Amino acid sequence: AVTGTAAAAGLGVSIAKGSEFESAFAGVKKTVNATDAELAQMRDDIREMAKEMPTSAAGLSEIAESAGQLGIQTENIAEFTKTMANLEVATNLTREEGAADFAKFANITKMQQDYFDELGSSVVALGNNMATTEADTVAMAMRIAAAGTQVRLSQADIMAYAASLSSVGIEAEAGGSAFSKLLVNMQMAVETGKNLKDYSKVAGMTGEQFKEAFQQDATAAINAFLSGLNDTERNGKSAIAVLDDMGIKEVRLRDTLLRAANASDLFADALRISNTAWEENVALSNEAEQRYATFESQMDILGNKMIDVGISVYDDLKPGLTEAVK
């Protein structure tokens, strides 16, 4: 009687967990344009992932479903799902927030979809080394992504500037728009020559030098301008007066530039951190592995492995169960 009761309970759990995963994966089928063979492989990939991380197979399926909605290509969905699950445990980004922002950021900056892991590593490294959070960094990056792409900043560069701006207390909505305006104004100065002398003088360059620096590596010109703005006393003027002479009188833009100038060294450090993390591509996985090593995560992973057995049992029972229901 005891054995029969235990077996019945086990079958009940298997049916419950198996049907839960089936329902969750049905959402993936709905949003992902894939062949039956690709869906079968994706299903297996999700089950294997769940046995290595504390996120359940059903939870991973929800990420994969949102990936399909956000336009992630079929061949990149499994890796995207793993990256978003890692971000959820390693940062203060939720899976929904992270997935939506990363996918949109990739679209804005024309980033190839097999670089989500590198992007995640940059975000984690900046969060670990700057006075800001990953969520604030990503929120700021979304605000400056379009302008940054126009001046040929890389995705790692954009994240670095976003983290730096956030680290000096600049809010994403106000500061992001202001910094984007600076990038647009610099681009126009370089292309038309109008106000080029003003930017180059602050940066300590000739107009031609500033133009060449901006066109070859915009970060060099931007950082030189911010550093020069932090050292305007050499010309006998305050930074506020210099900005006023340049016609930059808008309070929001001026405040953003003054804060950025006061922390100009921070920008160089952030660029180094972000680009190094992108190249090494280990920051996110290392951070996630530390979280997965905790007892709580190990218990969740053990639970996922047990649930996976239940899913297998459910798969075997499903034909008979369906017939019984009919």
Side-chain angles (χ1 to χ4, degrees), residues 290-324:
Q290 290 179 22
R291 300 301 179 98
Y292 296 162
T294 64
F295 180 75
E296 181 182 11
S297 292
Q298 287 297 308
M299 289 299 294
D300 289 338
I301 292 171
L302 175 61
N304 287 345
K305 290 179 179 179
M306 296 172 68
I307 289 172
D308 189 70
V309 175
I311 292 172
S312 295
V313 173
Y314 173 78
D315 287 346
D316 291 338
L317 292 177
K318 184 185 172 184
L321 290 170
T322 303
E323 284 301 315

Short mmCIF file of all heavy atoms in Angstrom, two decimals, residues 290-324:
data_model
loop_
_atom_site.label_atom_id
_atom_site.label_comp_id
_atom_site.label_asym_id
_atom_site.label_seq_id
_atom_site.Cartn_x
_atom_site.Cartn_y
_atom_site.Cartn_z
N GLN A 290 29.43 31.34 -9.75
CA GLN A 290 29.53 31.59 -8.31
C GLN A 290 28.16 31.49 -7.65
O GLN A 290 28.03 30.95 -6.54
CB GLN A 290 30.13 32.97 -8.07
CG GLN A 290 31.60 33.09 -8.43
CD GLN A 290 32.14 34.49 -8.20
OE1 GLN A 290 31.58 35.26 -7.42
NE2 GLN A 290 33.22 34.83 -8.88
N ARG A 291 27.14 32.00 -8.31
CA ARG A 291 25.78 31.91 -7.76
C ARG A 291 25.28 30.47 -7.81
O ARG A 291 24.60 30.03 -6.88
CB ARG A 291 24.84 32.82 -8.56
CG ARG A 291 25.20 34.29 -8.54
CD ARG A 291 25.24 34.86 -7.14
NE ARG A 291 25.62 36.26 -7.12
CZ ARG A 291 24.76 37.26 -7.04
NH1 ARG A 291 23.46 37.02 -6.99
NH2 ARG A 291 25.19 38.51 -7.01
N TYR A 292 25.63 29.75 -8.87
CA TYR A 292 25.16 28.38 -8.99
C TYR A 292 25.82 27.46 -7.96
O TYR A 292 25.31 26.38 -7.67
CB TYR A 292 25.43 27.83 -10.40
CG TYR A 292 24.67 28.55 -11.49
CD1 TYR A 292 25.07 28.45 -12.82
CD2 TYR A 292 23.55 29.33 -11.21
CE1 TYR A 292 24.37 29.10 -13.83
CE2 TYR A 292 22.86 29.99 -12.20
CZ TYR A 292 23.28 29.87 -13.51
OH TYR A 292 22.59 30.52 -14.50
N ALA A 293 26.95 27.87 -7.43
CA ALA A 293 27.67 27.05 -6.45
C ALA A 293 27.07 27.14 -5.05
O ALA A 293 27.42 26.35 -4.18
CB ALA A 293 29.14 27.46 -6.40
N THR A 294 26.15 28.07 -4.83
CA THR A 294 25.54 28.21 -3.50
C THR A 294 24.63 27.02 -3.23
O THR A 294 24.13 26.36 -4.15
CB THR A 294 24.73 29.51 -3.39
OG1 THR A 294 23.62 29.45 -4.31
CG2 THR A 294 25.60 30.72 -3.71
N PHE A 295 24.39 26.75 -1.95
CA PHE A 295 23.54 25.61 -1.56
C PHE A 295 22.13 25.77 -2.11
O PHE A 295 21.53 24.82 -2.60
CB PHE A 295 23.50 25.50 -0.03
CG PHE A 295 22.66 24.36 0.46
CD1 PHE A 295 23.10 23.06 0.37
CD2 PHE A 295 21.39 24.60 1.00
CE1 PHE A 295 22.30 22.00 0.81
CE2 PHE A 295 20.59 23.56 1.43
CZ PHE A 295 21.05 22.25 1.35
N GLU A 296 21.62 26.99 -2.04
CA GLU A 296 20.26 27.23 -2.53
C GLU A 296 20.14 26.90 -4.01
O GLU A 296 19.18 26.23 -4.44
CB GLU A 296 19.87 28.69 -2.30
CG GLU A 296 18.47 29.03 -2.76
CD GLU A 296 18.12 30.51 -2.56
OE1 GLU A 296 19.04 31.30 -2.26
OE2 GLU A 296 16.94 30.87 -2.71
N SER A 297 21.13 27.36 -4.81
CA SER A 297 21.11 27.08 -6.24
C SER A 297 21.28 25.60 -6.52
O SER A 297 20.63 25.04 -7.42
CB SER A 297 22.20 27.88 -6.95
OG SER A 297 21.93 29.26 -6.92
N GLN A 298 22.16 24.94 -5.75
CA GLN A 298 22.37 23.51 -5.94
C GLN A 298 21.10 22.72 -5.66
O GLN A 298 20.81 21.73 -6.33
CB GLN A 298 23.52 23.03 -5.05
CG GLN A 298 24.90 23.46 -5.52
CD GLN A 298 25.25 22.89 -6.89
OE1 GLN A 298 25.15 21.69 -7.12
NE2 GLN A 298 25.66 23.76 -7.80
N MET A 299 20.34 23.14 -4.65
CA MET A 299 19.07 22.48 -4.36
C MET A 299 18.08 22.69 -5.51
O MET A 299 17.33 21.78 -5.88
CB MET A 299 18.48 23.02 -3.05
CG MET A 299 19.24 22.58 -1.80
SD MET A 299 19.26 20.79 -1.59
CE MET A 299 17.53 20.46 -1.31
N ASP A 300 18.08 23.90 -6.07
CA ASP A 300 17.20 24.17 -7.21
C ASP A 300 17.60 23.32 -8.41
O ASP A 300 16.73 22.80 -9.13
CB ASP A 300 17.26 25.66 -7.59
CG ASP A 300 16.57 26.55 -6.57
OD1 ASP A 300 15.71 26.04 -5.84
OD2 ASP A 300 16.90 27.75 -6.51
N ILE A 301 18.90 23.19 -8.64
CA ILE A 301 19.38 22.37 -9.75
C ILE A 301 19.01 20.91 -9.54
O ILE A 301 18.59 20.21 -10.47
CB ILE A 301 20.91 22.54 -9.91
CG1 ILE A 301 21.24 23.96 -10.39
CG2 ILE A 301 21.46 21.52 -10.91
CD1 ILE A 301 22.72 24.30 -10.36
N LEU A 302 19.15 20.43 -8.29
CA LEU A 302 18.75 19.06 -7.98
C LEU A 302 17.26 18.87 -8.27
O LEU A 302 16.85 17.85 -8.84
CB LEU A 302 19.05 18.76 -6.50
CG LEU A 302 18.56 17.39 -5.98
CD1 LEU A 302 19.21 16.25 -6.75
CD2 LEU A 302 18.85 17.26 -4.49
N GLY A 303 16.47 19.87 -7.87
CA GLY A 303 15.03 19.80 -8.15
C GLY A 303 14.75 19.75 -9.64
O GLY A 303 13.88 19.00 -10.10
N ASN A 304 15.52 20.53 -10.42
CA ASN A 304 15.33 20.53 -11.87
C ASN A 304 15.67 19.17 -12.48
O ASN A 304 15.02 18.72 -13.42
CB ASN A 304 16.20 21.61 -12.51
CG ASN A 304 15.68 23.02 -12.28
OD1 ASN A 304 14.54 23.21 -11.87
ND2 ASN A 304 16.52 24.00 -12.52
N LYS A 305 16.70 18.52 -11.92
CA LYS A 305 17.07 17.19 -12.42
C LYS A 305 15.97 16.18 -12.13
O LYS A 305 15.66 15.30 -12.96
CB LYS A 305 18.39 16.75 -11.79
CG LYS A 305 19.60 17.53 -12.28
CD LYS A 305 20.88 17.07 -11.60
CE LYS A 305 22.09 17.84 -12.13
NZ LYS A 305 23.35 17.44 -11.46
N MET A 306 15.37 16.29 -10.95
CA MET A 306 14.26 15.40 -10.60
C MET A 306 13.05 15.67 -11.49
O MET A 306 12.37 14.75 -11.94
CB MET A 306 13.92 15.56 -9.13
CG MET A 306 15.05 15.15 -8.20
SD MET A 306 14.72 15.55 -6.46
CE MET A 306 13.38 14.42 -6.10
N ILE A 307 12.81 16.95 -11.74
CA ILE A 307 11.69 17.32 -12.62
C ILE A 307 11.92 16.78 -14.03
O ILE A 307 10.98 16.35 -14.71
CB ILE A 307 11.51 18.85 -12.65
CG1 ILE A 307 10.95 19.34 -11.31
CG2 ILE A 307 10.60 19.29 -13.79
CD1 ILE A 307 10.92 20.85 -11.16
N ASP A 308 13.20 16.78 -14.47
CA ASP A 308 13.50 16.28 -15.80
C ASP A 308 13.15 14.80 -15.93
O ASP A 308 12.69 14.35 -16.98
CB ASP A 308 14.99 16.50 -16.12
CG ASP A 308 15.30 16.20 -17.57
OD1 ASP A 308 14.88 16.99 -18.45
OD2 ASP A 308 15.96 15.17 -17.84
N VAL A 309 13.38 14.06 -14.85
CA VAL A 309 12.95 12.65 -14.85
C VAL A 309 11.44 12.59 -15.01
O VAL A 309 10.90 11.77 -15.76
CB VAL A 309 13.39 11.95 -13.53
CG1 VAL A 309 12.84 10.53 -13.48
CG2 VAL A 309 14.91 11.93 -13.43
N GLY A 310 10.74 13.49 -14.29
CA GLY A 310 9.28 13.53 -14.40
C GLY A 310 8.82 13.86 -15.80
O GLY A 310 7.83 13.31 -16.29
N ILE A 311 9.55 14.77 -16.47
CA ILE A 311 9.20 15.13 -17.85
C ILE A 311 9.34 13.91 -18.76
O ILE A 311 8.49 13.66 -19.63
CB ILE A 311 10.07 16.29 -18.35
CG1 ILE A 311 9.74 17.58 -17.58
CG2 ILE A 311 9.88 16.50 -19.85
CD1 ILE A 311 10.68 18.73 -17.86
N SER A 312 10.41 13.12 -18.54
CA SER A 312 10.61 11.91 -19.34
C SER A 312 9.48 10.91 -19.12
O SER A 312 8.97 10.30 -20.06
CB SER A 312 11.95 11.26 -19.00
OG SER A 312 13.03 12.10 -19.35
N VAL A 313 9.09 10.75 -17.85
CA VAL A 313 7.97 9.85 -17.54
C VAL A 313 6.69 10.34 -18.21
O VAL A 313 5.93 9.57 -18.79
CB VAL A 313 7.79 9.75 -16.00
CG1 VAL A 313 6.52 8.96 -15.67
CG2 VAL A 313 9.00 9.10 -15.35
N TYR A 314 6.48 11.64 -18.13
CA TYR A 314 5.27 12.23 -18.73
C TYR A 314 5.27 12.00 -20.24
O TYR A 314 4.23 11.68 -20.82
CB TYR A 314 5.22 13.73 -18.42
CG TYR A 314 4.10 14.45 -19.13
CD1 TYR A 314 2.79 14.37 -18.67
CD2 TYR A 314 4.35 15.22 -20.27
CE1 TYR A 314 1.76 15.04 -19.33
CE2 TYR A 314 3.33 15.89 -20.93
CZ TYR A 314 2.04 15.79 -20.45
OH TYR A 314 1.02 16.44 -21.10
N ASP A 315 6.42 12.18 -20.88
CA ASP A 315 6.49 11.97 -22.33
C ASP A 315 6.09 10.56 -22.70
O ASP A 315 5.42 10.34 -23.72
CB ASP A 315 7.91 12.25 -22.82
CG ASP A 315 8.26 13.74 -22.84
OD1 ASP A 315 7.32 14.56 -22.73
OD2 ASP A 315 9.45 14.07 -22.94
N ASP A 316 6.49 9.58 -21.86
CA ASP A 316 6.14 8.18 -22.13
C ASP A 316 4.66 7.90 -21.87
O ASP A 316 4.02 7.10 -22.57
CB ASP A 316 6.98 7.25 -21.26
CG ASP A 316 8.45 7.25 -21.67
OD1 ASP A 316 8.73 7.60 -22.84
OD2 ASP A 316 9.31 6.91 -20.84
N LEU A 317 4.12 8.59 -20.85
CA LEU A 317 2.73 8.35 -20.48
C LEU A 317 1.73 9.13 -21.31
O LEU A 317 0.55 8.77 -21.37
CB LEU A 317 2.52 8.72 -19.00
CG LEU A 317 3.20 7.84 -17.95
CD1 LEU A 317 2.94 8.42 -16.57
CD2 LEU A 317 2.69 6.41 -18.01
N LYS A 318 2.18 10.20 -21.94
CA LYS A 318 1.25 11.14 -22.58
C LYS A 318 0.31 10.50 -23.58
O LYS A 318 -0.90 10.78 -23.58
CB LYS A 318 2.04 12.28 -23.25
CG LYS A 318 1.11 13.34 -23.84
CD LYS A 318 1.89 14.39 -24.60
CE LYS A 318 0.92 15.32 -25.34
NZ LYS A 318 1.64 16.30 -26.17
N PRO A 319 0.79 9.60 -24.48
CA PRO A 319 -0.15 9.01 -25.45
C PRO A 319 -1.31 8.29 -24.75
O PRO A 319 -2.48 8.46 -25.13
CB PRO A 319 0.72 8.03 -26.24
CG PRO A 319 2.10 8.61 -26.14
CD PRO A 319 2.17 9.18 -24.75
N GLY A 320 -0.98 7.52 -23.72
CA GLY A 320 -2.03 6.81 -23.00
C GLY A 320 -2.94 7.74 -22.24
O GLY A 320 -4.16 7.53 -22.19
N LEU A 321 -2.34 8.78 -21.64
CA LEU A 321 -3.14 9.75 -20.89
C LEU A 321 -4.12 10.48 -21.80
O LEU A 321 -5.29 10.70 -21.46
CB LEU A 321 -2.23 10.78 -20.20
CG LEU A 321 -1.40 10.27 -19.02
CD1 LEU A 321 -0.38 11.33 -18.62
CD2 LEU A 321 -2.29 9.93 -17.83
N THR A 322 -3.64 10.84 -23.00
CA THR A 322 -4.49 11.54 -23.95
C THR A 322 -5.67 10.67 -24.37
O THR A 322 -6.81 11.12 -24.46
CB THR A 322 -3.67 11.95 -25.19
OG1 THR A 322 -2.57 12.75 -24.78
CG2 THR A 322 -4.53 12.74 -26.17
N GLU A 323 -5.39 9.39 -24.61
CA GLU A 323 -6.46 8.47 -24.98
C GLU A 323 -7.46 8.31 -23.85
O GLU A 323 -8.67 8.25 -24.06
CB GLU A 323 -5.86 7.10 -25.36
CG GLU A 323 -5.20 7.07 -26.72
CD GLU A 323 -6.16 7.45 -27.83
OE1 GLU A 323 -7.31 6.94 -27.83
OE2 GLU A 323 -5.80 8.28 -28.68
N ALA A 324 -6.92 8.24 -22.61
CA ALA A 324 -7.81 8.07 -21.44
C ALA A 324 -8.73 9.28 -21.28
O ALA A 324 -9.91 9.14 -21.00
CB ALA A 324 -6.96 7.89 -20.18
#
